[in-house]
Amino acid sequence: MATDDQERCRCCFLKWMNLQQQELSELHQALTLQASNKNSENCLRQLAEKCIKHYQDYVNNRSQLARNDVSAFFAPAWCSNWENSLLWIAGCRPSQYIRLVYALNGIEIDAQLHEFLQGTRTGNLGELSPEQFHLIDILQSKTIRAEEKLTTQMASLQEDVADQPMVAITKGLSKIGEMNGELDRALDKHEQGMVGALEEADSLRLSTLKELMDILTSRQAVDFLTAAKKLQLCVHEWGKTRDERHGRGKLMIT
Amino acid sequence: MAGMCCGVVGEGETPAPIEPSSRTSRRRRMELLPSKFIADVAVPPVLKNGRKRQKLDLCPRSSPPLQLEKAAKTCLSSEAEGKVENNETKSESEEMSPTQALNFCRSTPSAEVVRECPKFGVTSVCGRRRDMEDAVSVFPSFCLQKTQMSDGYHFFGVFDGHGCSHVAARCRDRLHEILKEQVEGAGEAVEWKGTLERSFELMDEEVRERSGPLKSTWSCRCDLQTPQSDAVGSTAVVAIVTPEKIIVSNCGDSRAVLCRNGVAVPLSSDHKPDRPDELLRIEAAGGRVIYWDGARVLGVLAMSRAIGDSYLKPYVISEPEVTITDRTAEDECLIIASDGLWDVVSNETACGVARMCFRAQRPPSPPGSSHSDVAVGAVSKSSDKACSDASILLTKLALARHSTDNVSVVVVDLRRNNDQQSLGLEN
């Protein structure tokens, strides 16, 4: 039963990563067509929306599986130690999306500044308009506040393990690691809390991403998703390589 | 008509310009929209939901605090406004709101030109930090009552907090009021240096004693109910722009830079613990500067002057350095910013960027005949956009260069008779 859960969780993740790869090719293709004017603004928007829809599906799927085995997602065996050490409530920090926007925007500005100062380039440097810049900043502070709230919630859940009823049950045990019905009920209840945290974190990730998509133009949204997916896939691979260097991993990760 | 934007509240003035063309009239309508909106939101001068936000008071006469986010709409195009509205109602910010992108638009009656508040743009973002500790305040004609003369005193301040946001927020809310009282207490001719020094001293006392009228309910990281939070302070750089002069009063490592004929002229000098004269002063007072991730007073604070920080007194002082600069025809703009900008962008680059923004916004072909209403309208509008564009572009540049701090930038347009100057340049 337990291995089944584990296997289903792993499958869910692997399917998701395969989909990322597939979406990345689609996004690249769309950008190429756009560059040669063969693709409409509308196509890009639809593609971005499709990606978000897929993410929504993944989140829903994950939530279902987590009800059976939530810890599998907090310390996934299918990711490298390095990747797992970067997790925030079983995923990325939603505030990372804003960092990514700033970073992408920054690369453009640096490349264009010289021309701008020479007067050979005018117009909207770094693509993000003042309005978008303003909205992204509002989104950022909102996201960080929500993140902090969830972090505090998570802290409580972790502290709870060193509190009642676990402590009283432990005191009454005659052997280390012994399990009983009372303990199982207590741990099940604790896991429910963890599922709640996971669901809230996933919903924050999703809503932040959706709001960001609303702020960005279709072209920017596709650019952003391309960069985000590429980064995600890279992080997964880098983790494997780095773990191997420390003599970990090859057997565990497929 | 002086004060299409800021005078609307409580005055009932109805600007009714005669429109020479439909294009201009559309432009005018777009300008008028925000002012009406400001009037609407300003009437009950209560912060919605008790939210504390970076705010900017555009209404000197009745002075109800305006939420800056509302005011920021003045720079947004009408198409974008709906979007902001949505986003705002969704957001439930309690802490300082980060962005201010403000653009100040008003018509330019030529006779009143010297008393007019210069156009300006403000951008202030959280950037790569997780806390917003910067605060910005802009108060055009901040001490009106006194004399005809003081009508032309305009207040611009940038405050970069450390430890928590509440000292910076307090400076934003109170410093202009304290200064106003001091200016009104003085005689006909204001002695700016002494007046500003006294105001900074009073501001520092108020922060330390937590006295003075509380404007809003505080909500910040360090709970203000606890006895003292001594390890909290803020830089303060204030520029008073008058028709003849620019007075800059600085305490800490924020900075004001004048862009004059393409040259960057710093109007303040950063108070860093390793500045030779500051080092001597600290050591004479019995303090030490220890290098621990840069020069720090007692190994703690990376600036030698600040408002607040009572635990580092007398080594860290609140006394500002004041510079008084005569305005000239060559002055282009004033850039006031926190170290989030200056750490990664040089004075020269900042001026270059602001200049290019002004140049980019010059109307493509002003009618050669005379400065008709069309031309004036175009220039005055685009000039506002230029200030706003400059402040945003400088902020973007700071982020692009990996500034890790909050970034706040105020750009003030100091060009006199914009319309004539740009016409002259085109010829």
Side-chain angles (χ1 to χ4, degrees), chain B residues 186-255:
Chain B
E188 188 65 16
V190 186
E191 196 276 292
W192 284 109
K193 187 171 182 293
T195 309
L196 279 157
E197 284 170 355
R198 179 80 189 126
S199 302
F200 273 53
E201 193 184 334
L202 289 170
M203 186 71 240
D204 187 59
E205 279 170 23
E206 212 177 280
V207 165
R208 274 185 291 154
E209 293 160 15
R210 298 269 160 76
S211 62
L214 275 172
K215 265 196 155 176
S216 47
T217 39
W218 296 102
S219 67
C220 54
R221 272 204 319 286
C222 74
D223 185 9
L224 282 170
Q225 313 309 319
T226 57
Q228 277 288 326
S229 38
D230 282 351
V232 179
S234 176
T235 72
V237 58
V238 167
I240 308 298
V241 177
T242 78
E244 295 87 25
K245 290 178 196 305
I246 305 157
I247 304 106
V248 170
S249 180
N250 177 53
C251 173
D253 60 3
S254 298
R255 193 186 304 159

Side-chain angles (χ1 to χ4, degrees), chain A residues 148-248:
Chain A
E148 296 295 314
K149 210 175 131 200
L150 269 173
T151 301
T152 309
Q153 198 179 318
M154 203 49 215
S156 283
L157 279 166
Q158 287 167 337
E159 286 169 3
D160 283 347
V161 178
D163 205 340
Q164 309 299 10
M166 260 75 95
V167 172
I169 298 170
T170 311
K171 278 197 94 173
L173 293 179
S174 53
K175 221 174 84 195
I176 298 284
E178 190 187 331
M179 300 292 281
N180 60 33
E182 195 189 4
L183 184 62
D184 269 333
R185 277 192 296 280
L187 292 181
D188 283 349
K189 185 153 185 270
H190 188 262
E191 281 199 347
Q192 276 173 28
M194 299 287 275
V195 173
L198 175 77
E199 283 174 348
E200 279 189 56
D202 273 347
S203 122
L204 180 62
R205 281 185 273 265
L206 190 58
S207 67
T208 307
L209 201 52
K210 279 182 180 166
E211 277 189 53
L212 197 55
M213 293 295 110
D214 286 343
I215 295 170
L216 299 177
T217 63
S218 306
R219 169 66 207 250
Q220 289 167 335
V222 167
D223 274 340
F224 170 85
L225 289 170
T226 310
K229 284 177 199 300
K230 193 168 178 189
L231 188 64
Q232 190 194 2
L233 290 164
C234 283
V235 163
H236 189 62
E237 294 305 316
W238 295 337
K240 287 185 195 173
T241 315
R242 291 194 74 87
D243 266 26
E244 276 170 28
R245 277 190 211 163
H246 296 286
R248 279 192 303 266

